[in-house]
Amino acid sequence: MRAEDTPLIRLEDYRPSDWLIDTVDLDISLAPQQTRVRALLGLRPNPAGQPGAPLILDGDELALSEIKLDGVTLDANAFAAGPQSLTVHAPPRRGFTLTIETVLDPSANTKLMGLYRSSKVYCTQCEADGFRRITYFLDRPDVMSVYTVRLEAAKAEAPVLLSNGNRVATGEVPGSDRHFAVWHDPHPKPAYLFALVGGALDHVREDYVTADGQQVELAVYVEPGKAGRAGWALDSLVRCMRWDERVFGRNYDLDVFNVVAVSDFNMGAMENKGLNIFNDKYVLADPQTATDGDYASIEAIIAHEYFHNWTGNRITCRDWFQLCLKEGLTVFRDQEFSSDERSRPVKRIADVRTLRATQFSEDAGPLAHPVRPRAYKEINNFYTPTVYEKGAEVIRMLKVLIGADAFKRGMDLYFERCDGTAATIEEFLDCFAETSGRDLSHFARWYEQAGTPTIVASGRYDARAKRYTLDLAQTTPPTPGQATKQPVVLPVTLGLVGRDGDLPLTTGSSAYAGDGLIVLDQPSLSVVFSDVAEAPIPSLLRGFSAPVRLELDLSDADLLRLFSADSDSFNRWQALQSVATRALVAAGRPGTDRAVLLAKAAEIAGALEHFLREQGLADPAFAAQVLRLPAPADIAREIGGDVDPDAIYGAHRNLSGAIGQALEATLIGLRDTLATKATYAPDAASAGRRALRNEALGLIAIAAPEAGARLVEQQFSSADNLTDRLAALAAMTLIPGEAREHLIGRFAEIYASEPLVLDKWLMAQALIAEPGTLDRVKRLMQHKGFSLGNPNRVRALIGGFAANLTQFNRADGAGYEFVADMVIALDRTNPQVASRLLGSFKSWKMLEPTRKDLAQASLAMVARTPGLSRDVADIAERALA
Ligand code: ZN
C-alpha cells in the first residue's frame, strides 16, 4: 500500500449509516486454527439514511462460508463477498436478518487485531476497526447493537469463556470434550466494544455493591500461577468505582465486571463493555516484579478503562473524529482520580512532564494535528498524545473557565442527555454552554487548531502609582495544513508574589475573572492591578492552567524566589526547572562557556541544598520531582531547531554532575535519613521516599561514580523490592565499566523468568547514552527473552533505543537506519507496532542539517518500501511532508 493510494476519510463527509443493526447473535466455536463464527444480524433501514441503498458490510481479511437472508441461503448473484467487504445488492426495504458464517485462524493473527491468541489464550481487540476481522459488519461506532454471544471451546484448552455483559447460560456440549457459555449484554454498543476471552486463566474476585444497591461480581483474570499479582488491580478497581460514584455520580450497570490480562497487546488496555482486556504490564504487580511507577500506572489505567464505562461506552463516539470525546475526557477523569488518591501537585507535575515530552513534541513536528482531526487515512495512527493528553487539558481548561460547579452540572447534563447515544464534541460542549450560560464557540477552537500556543508575558511595576501592569500576548505557530492561526481561549491562573506571599489582586479589567484567573482570548491584552503595595514577582499559569509555552522574562533571582516562596507547588517546581532549562539551552548551543554553566550549577545547588534541608522530608515525592532536572529531550525541544543532541547531552551531564558534586554530602545524608527497615508497601508516601532516595542516587552516580557504584551495589543487594533494584541498575548504567556489565548480568539472572521485568532491563540498556548502545541493542535482540512478536518486548528494546536522544540520533545515521529496518521488519507482522515505532522520527525536522538529512533518508527508505501497511505508509508520508 502506498499512502497516496489510500483514501482520505474526512469529518465533513460524515453521513449516517443507511442500515442499522439492532441485535447481534454470535455463535463462536473456538479452535486454534479454525474458529467458526456464525453471526445473526437483526437489520433494519436507518430512518436517517438513504432508502433502498445496498447493504455494504465491512470486512478485513475475511472469508465467507455461508450467507442467509431471513434464514434462506442467498443466491450467488444477490451478493458480492471479498476479504474487505460483503455487499447485498438489493436488500428488502424493511427489517430482516442476515446470517453470516466466517472461518478465522486466530493462531495466524499476528496483527493482534480481531480474534487472536496470546500465549494460548483466545482474546479480541476490536477498537478501532478490528471487529470486521471477525465477521462482516457495519463497523462504525454509531451503529449500536444488543449482543448475545455463545462461545464454545474445548474444556481443557479454554475452561474460562468470557464475553461482554452477564453470563446467562453455561453447559457441556454432549458427546464431546467441549463446553459453552452464553453471554448477554443488554446495553446497545458499537462493535468496537465487543470482546471475548477463552483460555486457562486464574482469577481473584470480590463482591461489590454499588451506591445504588446493585450487586456486582468483580474479577481479575491472569495467566495461571499469577493470581498473587492480581490483587493490586482488583483493589484499584474497587477504589475507582467508589470514586466515580462519589465524584461523578456514576454507578456500574451490569452484574459482572471482568478484567483480563494478556501478554500480547498492542496498546495499554481496552474498555470493552464489562470485559476490559489489558496488557498484562498494567495488571500484574507484586513488590518483586513491579515498581512504584507500575503500581501507579496500574491504578491509573484500571481507573481509565473503568471510567470509560460511562465516558465511552454508555456515551460513545458518533465517528472516530470524535475520539477525544471519550479519550480526552477519560484521561481527565483518571488524572483526577490519581490526584485524589495520591498527591495532586506531584501528579500534576508528572502529567505536565509527559504532556511536554510527548504532546508538545508531536505538536511541534510534522505529525501535528488538532485534538479533533479533520481527516485521516488510518485511524489507528490517531491514538496520540494530542487526542489523549491535550484532549484532557482541554477539559481541564473548560473546568477552570466555567468553574467547578457549572462543570459538574454540565457533566450531569451530558450523562443524562447523551446516555445511550453516539455523540459529538458539539453535543458535549452544548451541555456546558447551557449550565454555565457561556458561549463556548470560541473555546471550541481548541478542538480544531493544532500547535502549542506561546504566551509572551511581561510585567511593569509603577511604584509611585502602586500599579502593576501585566501584558500578555499569544501566538500559535503554523502546523501542517494550518498556516495561519487564530487566538484561542487561554485561562491564565496567576498570583503576584510579594515579600510575605501573595498580594491581593485588585483590577477593573474585564479579562480578570476573579480568583486569580485572567482569560486571554485575544491576541494580546494588558491587565492593570491597583493597590499593589510592592514590586511583585508574577507567578503565571499556576497549576499549569493551560497547555502552552510561557515566555516570561524573569531573572534567575526572581525564579529562585518563586522556587522558595510561591504558594503554588506546581510553579515552585516550574521555577527551578526554568532556571535549569535556561542554563541548559544556552549551554546546549555551540560555542558556550562552560564556566557560565558551572556558576549556574552552583546557584541551583545552593537553592536545592536549602530546599532539601528545610523541606526535603516534608514531601519527598515533591522533592524528588524538584531534584529531577529537565531531560535532554526537553532541552532539545526548547531549542527547537538546529539541534545537536550530543551538545545538549554533554551540557546536561555537566550541569547534573556539578550539582551532584556540590550536594554529594547532603544527598548521601538524605538517603540515610530516608532509608527504612519497613517492608515494601506501594502507597504514595512510601513510594515518594523511595523516589527521592533514588533520584539522589542518580545524581551521585553522575557526580561521584566511585561512591555511586558503591551505593548502587549496597542498594541492589539489600533491596526487598524491584523499585530500588531497578533504580540501582539505572544509576549503574550511567557508570561505564566492568561493574556495570556485572550488575546487568546479575539482574538478568535474578529475573530470567520474568518477561515484564526483563523489559525494564532491556530498556535500561537501550537508553545508555554511549556509542556502544546500538551494538548492544542488536545483541540483545538475540537474547532468549526477546521476541519481535511481542509488543512489550519491542517497545522496551527498540522503542527504548528510539527514545535514546544521543544514540537514536547518532551523527552517522546508524540509529535511524536500524530503527527504520525494524519498522519494515515489524510491518510484515504487526503494522500498529511498526507505525508507532516509526513515530519516533516525529522530531527529525528540528535536528542540525547532517542528522536531519540522515533521518530524512531513513524515512524515505521506509516510504518507498513495497507492500507497506496503511499504518506505516501514512506515518512515513506525513513525517516527510
Ligand atoms: Zn481510553
Side-chain angles (χ1 to χ4, degrees), residues 391-420:
E393 292 300 315
V394 173
I395 308 283
R396 189 172 297 284
M397 286 189 286
L398 177 64
K399 182 174 174 183
V400 169
L401 285 165
I402 67 175
D405 180 57
F407 181 77
K408 171 87 177 63
R409 285 182 289 112
M411 283 303 303
D412 290 344
L413 182 59
Y414 175 62
F415 288 129
E416 187 190 307
R417 184 184 283 172
C418 296
D419 188 13

Coordinates of all heavy atoms in Angstrom, one line a residue, residues 391-420:
G391 N -6.2 16.5 24.8 CA -7.7 16.4 25.0 C -8.1 16.5 26.4 O -9.1 17.1 26.7
A392 N -7.3 15.9 27.3 CA -7.6 16.1 28.8 C -7.3 17.5 29.2 O -8.1 18.0 30.1 CB -6.7 15.1 29.6
E393 N -6.3 18.1 28.7 CA -6.0 19.5 29.1 C -7.2 20.4 28.7 O -7.5 21.4 29.4 CB -4.7 20.0 28.4 CG -3.5 19.4 28.9 CD -3.2 19.5 30.4 OE1 -3.4 20.7 30.9 OE2 -2.9 18.5 31.0
V394 N -7.8 20.2 27.6 CA -8.9 21.0 27.1 C -10.1 20.9 28.1 O -10.7 21.9 28.5 CB -9.3 20.6 25.7 CG1 -10.6 21.3 25.3 CG2 -8.2 20.9 24.7
I395 N -10.3 19.7 28.6 CA -11.4 19.5 29.6 C -11.0 20.3 30.9 O -11.8 20.9 31.5 CB -11.6 18.0 29.9 CG1 -11.8 17.2 28.7 CG2 -12.7 17.8 31.0 CD1 -13.2 17.3 28.1
R396 N -9.7 20.1 31.3 CA -9.3 20.8 32.5 C -9.4 22.3 32.4 O -9.9 23.0 33.3 CB -7.8 20.5 32.7 CG -7.2 20.9 34.0 CD -5.8 20.3 34.2 NE -5.8 18.8 34.2 CZ -6.2 18.1 35.3 NH1 -6.5 18.7 36.4 NH2 -6.2 16.8 35.3
M397 N -9.1 22.9 31.2 CA -9.3 24.3 31.0 C -10.8 24.7 31.1 O -11.1 25.7 31.6 CB -8.8 24.8 29.6 CG -7.2 24.8 29.6 SD -6.7 25.6 28.0 CE -7.0 24.3 26.9
L398 N -11.6 23.9 30.5 CA -13.1 24.1 30.5 C -13.5 24.3 31.9 O -14.3 25.2 32.3 CB -13.8 23.0 29.8 CG -15.3 23.1 29.8 CD1 -15.8 24.3 29.0 CD2 -15.9 21.8 29.1
K399 N -13.1 23.3 32.8 CA -13.5 23.4 34.2 C -13.0 24.6 34.9 O -13.8 25.3 35.6 CB -12.9 22.1 34.9 CG -13.3 22.1 36.3 CD -12.9 20.7 37.0 CE -13.3 20.8 38.5 NZ -12.8 19.6 39.2
V400 N -11.8 25.0 34.6 CA -11.3 26.3 35.2 C -12.1 27.5 34.7 O -12.4 28.4 35.5 CB -9.8 26.5 34.9 CG1 -9.3 27.9 35.2 CG2 -8.9 25.4 35.6
L401 N -12.4 27.5 33.4 CA -13.1 28.7 32.8 C -14.5 28.8 33.3 O -14.9 29.9 33.6 CB -13.1 28.5 31.3 CG -11.7 28.9 30.6 CD1 -11.7 28.4 29.2 CD2 -11.4 30.4 30.7
I402 N -15.2 27.7 33.4 CA -16.6 27.9 33.8 C -16.9 27.6 35.3 O -18.0 27.9 35.8 CB -17.6 27.0 33.0 CG1 -17.4 25.5 33.3 CG2 -17.5 27.3 31.5 CD1 -18.4 24.6 32.6
G403 N -15.8 27.1 36.0 CA -16.0 26.9 37.4 C -16.4 25.5 37.7 O -17.1 24.9 36.9
A404 N -16.0 25.0 38.9 CA -16.3 23.6 39.2 C -17.8 23.3 39.3 O -18.2 22.2 38.9 CB -15.6 23.3 40.6
D405 N -18.6 24.2 39.7 CA -20.0 24.0 39.8 C -20.7 23.8 38.5 O -21.4 22.8 38.2 CB -20.6 25.1 40.6 CG -22.1 24.9 40.8 OD1 -22.4 23.8 41.4 OD2 -22.9 25.7 40.4
A406 N -20.5 24.8 37.6 CA -21.1 24.6 36.2 C -20.5 23.4 35.5 O -21.2 22.8 34.7 CB -20.8 25.9 35.4
F407 N -19.2 23.1 35.8 CA -18.7 21.9 35.2 C -19.4 20.7 35.6 O -19.7 19.8 34.8 CB -17.2 21.8 35.5 CG -16.5 20.7 34.8 CD1 -16.2 20.7 33.5 CD2 -16.2 19.5 35.6 CE1 -15.5 19.6 32.9 CE2 -15.6 18.4 35.0 CZ -15.3 18.5 33.6
K408 N -19.6 20.6 36.9 CA -20.3 19.4 37.5 C -21.7 19.3 36.9 O -22.1 18.2 36.4 CB -20.3 19.6 39.0 CG -21.2 18.5 39.7 CD -20.4 17.3 40.0 CE -21.1 16.2 40.8 NZ -22.2 15.6 40.1
R409 N -22.4 20.4 36.8 CA -23.7 20.3 36.3 C -23.7 20.0 34.8 O -24.6 19.3 34.3 CB -24.5 21.6 36.6 CG -24.9 21.7 38.1 CD -25.7 23.0 38.4 NE -24.9 24.2 38.4 CZ -25.0 25.1 37.5 NH1 -25.9 25.1 36.5 NH2 -24.2 26.2 37.5
G410 N -22.7 20.5 34.1 CA -22.6 20.2 32.7 C -22.3 18.7 32.5 O -22.9 18.1 31.6
M411 N -21.5 18.1 33.3 CA -21.2 16.6 33.2 C -22.5 15.9 33.5 O -22.9 14.9 32.7 CB -20.2 16.2 34.2 CG -18.7 16.5 33.8 SD -18.1 15.9 32.2 CE -18.4 14.1 32.4
D412 N -23.3 16.3 34.5 CA -24.5 15.6 34.8 C -25.5 15.7 33.6 O -26.1 14.7 33.3 CB -25.2 16.2 36.1 CG -24.4 15.9 37.3 OD1 -23.6 15.0 37.3 OD2 -24.7 16.6 38.4
L413 N -25.5 16.9 33.0 CA -26.4 17.0 31.9 C -26.0 16.2 30.7 O -26.8 15.5 30.0 CB -26.4 18.5 31.5 CG -27.4 18.9 30.3 CD1 -28.8 18.6 30.7 CD2 -27.2 20.4 30.0
Y414 N -24.7 16.1 30.5 CA -24.2 15.3 29.4 C -24.5 13.8 29.6 O -25.0 13.1 28.7 CB -22.7 15.5 29.4 CG -21.9 14.6 28.4 CD1 -22.2 14.6 27.0 CD2 -20.9 13.7 28.9 CE1 -21.4 13.8 26.1 CE2 -20.2 12.9 28.0 CZ -20.5 13.0 26.6 OH -19.8 12.2 25.7
F415 N -24.4 13.3 30.9 CA -24.7 11.9 31.2 C -26.2 11.7 31.0 O -26.6 10.6 30.5 CB -24.3 11.5 32.6 CG -22.8 11.4 32.8 CD1 -22.2 12.1 33.9 CD2 -22.0 10.6 32.0 CE1 -20.8 12.0 34.1 CE2 -20.7 10.5 32.2 CZ -20.1 11.2 33.2
E416 N -27.0 12.6 31.3 CA -28.4 12.4 31.2 C -28.9 12.5 29.8 O -29.6 11.7 29.3 CB -29.1 13.5 32.0 CG -30.6 13.4 32.2 CD -31.1 14.7 32.8 OE1 -30.6 15.1 33.9 OE2 -32.0 15.3 32.2
R417 N -28.4 13.5 29.1 CA -28.9 13.8 27.7 C -28.3 12.8 26.7 O -29.0 12.4 25.8 CB -28.5 15.2 27.3 CG -29.0 15.7 26.0 CD -28.6 17.1 25.7 NE -29.3 18.1 26.4 CZ -28.9 19.4 26.4 NH1 -27.8 19.8 25.7 NH2 -29.6 20.3 27.1
C418 N -27.1 12.5 26.8 CA -26.4 11.7 25.7 C -26.3 10.2 26.1 O -25.8 9.4 25.2 CB -25.1 12.3 25.4 SG -25.1 14.0 24.8
D419 N -26.8 9.8 27.2 CA -26.7 8.4 27.6 C -27.3 7.5 26.5 O -28.4 7.8 26.0 CB -27.5 8.1 28.9 CG -27.3 6.7 29.4 OD1 -26.4 6.0 28.9 OD2 -28.0 6.3 30.3
G420 N -26.7 6.4 26.1 CA -27.2 5.5 25.1 C -27.0 6.0 23.6 O -27.5 5.4 22.7

